[in-house]
Amino acid sequence: MTSLSGAQANLRNLFPRIRASETAYLDSAATTHKPESVITAMQRAAVEGYAPVHRGLYAEAESASSAYEAVREQCGNLLRFKPQEIVFTRSATESINAVAQSFLTPQLNPGDWVWVSELEHHANYLPWQRACQASGAELRVLKINYETGAASAEQIEELADSRTRMLAITGQSNVVGVMPQLEPLIQVAHAVGAAVLVDAAQCLTHQASELARLDADFIVFSGHKVFGPTGIGVLAARYHHLEQMEPWLVGGGMVDWVGEGAAKSEWSDIPARFEAGSPNYIGVIGLGAALDFVQKLPEREVAEHLLRIGSYAHHTLSQLPNIRMLTPASAAATGVISFIHERIHPHDLGQVCADHAVAVRAGHHCAQPLMASLDIPACLRASCSIYTSRADINRLMQALEHAERLFL
Ligand code: PMP
């Protein structure tokens, strides 16, 4: 088992790009770097193991199909869903859109309520907004207490209204790191017969066991934020919901019988019916290797590293003059640290950081509703992962101090 304790430098060494680059990479909430094991697994899949999935009877095709299905099982085991309840998509974004279009929209009526939180990434806001626009339902927004992660008693009472059809909520904000308390919200939503989707894009790496314990109807995430490749996402969905859903894409590999002319076709079994087109074999194998990597990391040590590095970043940043922290100290352990400078625009700060080879993100982070509730147009985000070092944070501090000298 890879150990983080006393061996953080070794862990950094597992990431070829982090090892070789001069850049202080503080943008892991956007996408994570890949360890050697993931790169090797993808390379093997592209060379020795390469063959079409579910489309050939020859040996290579059979073993590619088994390897692909083994990752489905791995995802199911990770989140405590059955293998048939795992659908491979392109991304968390596609997974959420699929649920909004194929599950929710057909059952939504004027006057129904769909809930999201104010913390949502656009990927977990716009699909529901569109579903509401199409049906005359109302999109309602839960406020989350930054310190406790709880919703207010009044809003929980409203959530318990029989008009509530769906709650779609993040496991962790990609901007302020806050982690809503999901369990009580799920209980309330279920008590009124509503379904719950949890957007785990930001928290899968360090919250997999907590997510598995939740009684969520849908859990979604993306490979590229858990040390895997881009272009692969997961939709974990309860079987009885999948039975209700029409495929959102149609084409090869998802149909048993094609009806003549406009006659109805017969779809393949679940989950194949939701994976039209040639499967993303290399992406799925890369995802499997990434999840292997994550599962071999001792959860407690990952949590301790993120707590140490996140608290260090939070503490040192808050010592700087003119800085207003947006991530509360209580969420520093997520490693997602956002802030604004009272007198320098985030884009100017981002540019100075770039000039110092410090990779941070400036902007609204695809979370405009959150920016509106914070009453700011944009902010700067430094986001850490298991390979982030104190030296990376110190480089950020130097860049910010230089910005102060330049602009003030
Ligand atoms: N949800 C959250 C919380 C995110 O941070 C992101 C990506 N920034 C997404 C969803 C969407 O992920 P993807 O772009 O991989 O579909």
Side-chain angles (χ1 to χ4, degrees):
M1 191 172 268
T2 312
S3 174
L4 279 177
S5 50
Q8 216 256 321
N10 293 347
L11 197 74
R12 263 173 97 81
N13 279 339
L14 299 177
F15 291 81
R17 189 58 200 156
I18 294 291
R19 193 167 67 212
S21 172
E22 294 294 309
T23 299
Y25 187 73
L26 292 170
D27 205 10
S28 291
T31 195
T32 49
H33 275 279
K34 284 107 200 59
E36 204 114 47
S37 58
V38 169
I39 297 164
T40 307
M42 289 176 75
Q43 193 174 13
R44 283 217 187 104
V47 185
E48 297 130 59
Y50 195 66
V53 170
H54 300 326
R55 280 157 172 76
L57 295 174
Y58 47 95
E60 292 87 341
E62 290 283 349
S63 67
S65 304
S66 319
Y68 181 88
E69 289 305 321
V71 179
R72 194 189 303 284
E73 204 167 326
Q74 188 182 2
C75 292
N77 289 339
L78 182 71
L79 293 173
R80 277 204 218 152
F81 279 67
K82 298 186 194 89
Q84 309 92 286
E85 297 177 317
I86 301 295
V87 178
F88 291 121
T89 63
R90 279 182 302 162
S91 57
T93 300
E94 182 174 308
S95 301
I96 300 168
N97 272 274
V99 177
Q101 280 167 38
S102 265
F103 172 76
L104 186 66
T105 304
Q107 48 169 303
L108 212 52
N109 292 306
D112 285 346
W113 290 356
V114 178
W115 288 87
V116 291
S117 85
E118 65 178 353
L119 300 172
E120 303 310 319
H121 186 279
H122 295 168
N124 199 31
Y125 192 97
L126 294 175
W128 312 111
Q129 184 184 65
R130 187 156 75 169
C132 289
Q133 285 162 350
S135 57
E138 194 180 319
L139 187 66
R140 299 177 73 94
V141 180
L142 276 179
K143 275 200 154 307
I144 300 292
N145 181 299
Y146 277 25
E147 295 302 326
T148 63
S152 70
E154 300 81 69
Q155 280 209 302
I156 291 181
E157 209 170 298
E158 283 184 66
L159 178 70
D161 192 289
S162 62
R163 282 170 285 190
T164 296
R165 301 261 53 87
M166 181 94 209
L167 165 67
I169 185 157
T170 189
Q172 182 191 308
S173 161
N174 64 313
V175 184
V176 289
V178 171
M179 299 173 72
Q181 283 184 31
L182 297 176
E183 213 168 309
L185 298 176
I186 293 175
Q187 276 173 16
V188 169
H190 280 172
V192 288
V196 179
L197 178 142
V198 175
D199 173 2
Q202 288 293 337
C203 62
L204 189 89
T205 308
H206 57 101
Q207 289 290 313
S209 2
E210 283 76 4
L211 288 163
R213 273 195 288 274
L214 291 176
D215 183 22
D217 298 86
F218 304 95
I219 300 180
V220 306
F221 70 95
S222 282
H224 71 101
K225 291 188 199 274
V226 295
F227 312 115
T230 48
I232 184 71
V234 169
L235 164 61
R238 302 292 171 198
Y239 196 82
H240 63 282
H241 292 324
L242 289 173
E243 280 181 312
Q244 259 181 274
M245 290 163 69
E246 273 295 301
W248 48 94
L249 277 181
V250 290
M254 53 72 68
V255 62
D256 281 348
W257 181 255
V258 177
E260 228 180 294
K264 202 166 165 12
S265 297
E266 281 173 32
W267 308 138
S268 304
D269 287 342
I270 292 168
R273 74 174 62 160
F274 299 112
E275 292 179 7
S278 297
N280 178 358
Y281 175 57
I282 300 173
V284 165
I285 298 304
L287 172 67
L291 295 180
D292 270 341
F293 177 78
V294 168
Q295 286 176 291
K296 282 184 187 147
L297 293 170
E299 260 189 41
R300 195 173 54 82
E301 291 182 34
V302 167
E304 279 172 10
H305 175 69
L306 283 175
L307 172 65
R308 269 196 305 271
I309 199 77
S311 307
Y312 178 66
H314 197 280
H315 177 74
T316 32
L317 275 162
S318 45
Q319 305 300 304
L320 288 178
N322 301 312
I323 294 286
R324 182 176 134 212
M325 301 305 292
L326 301 175
T327 297
S330 55
T334 61
V336 178
I337 314 290
S338 288
F339 55 95
I340 53 169
H341 191 286
E342 303 287 5
R343 296 171 61 196
I344 310 175
H345 193 276
H347 287 133
D348 290 329
L349 283 182
Q351 188 55 55
V352 176
C353 287
D355 295 344
H356 283 70
V358 174
V360 288
R361 172 102 173 255
H364 55 60
H365 312 278
C366 300
Q368 284 179 8
L370 177 60
M371 294 296 111
S373 84
L374 290 167
D375 198 21
I376 52 171
C379 64
L380 209 71
R381 178 185 72 191
S383 52
C384 309
S385 184
I386 56 172
Y387 41 70
T388 308
S389 66
R390 277 183 177 227
D392 295 329
I393 306 296
N394 294 342
R395 296 258 307 275
L396 169 64
M397 298 306 156
Q398 283 157 12
L400 295 176
E401 280 158 8
H402 187 218
E404 282 246 324
R405 289 196 296 277
L406 269 182
F407 287 98
L408 303 183

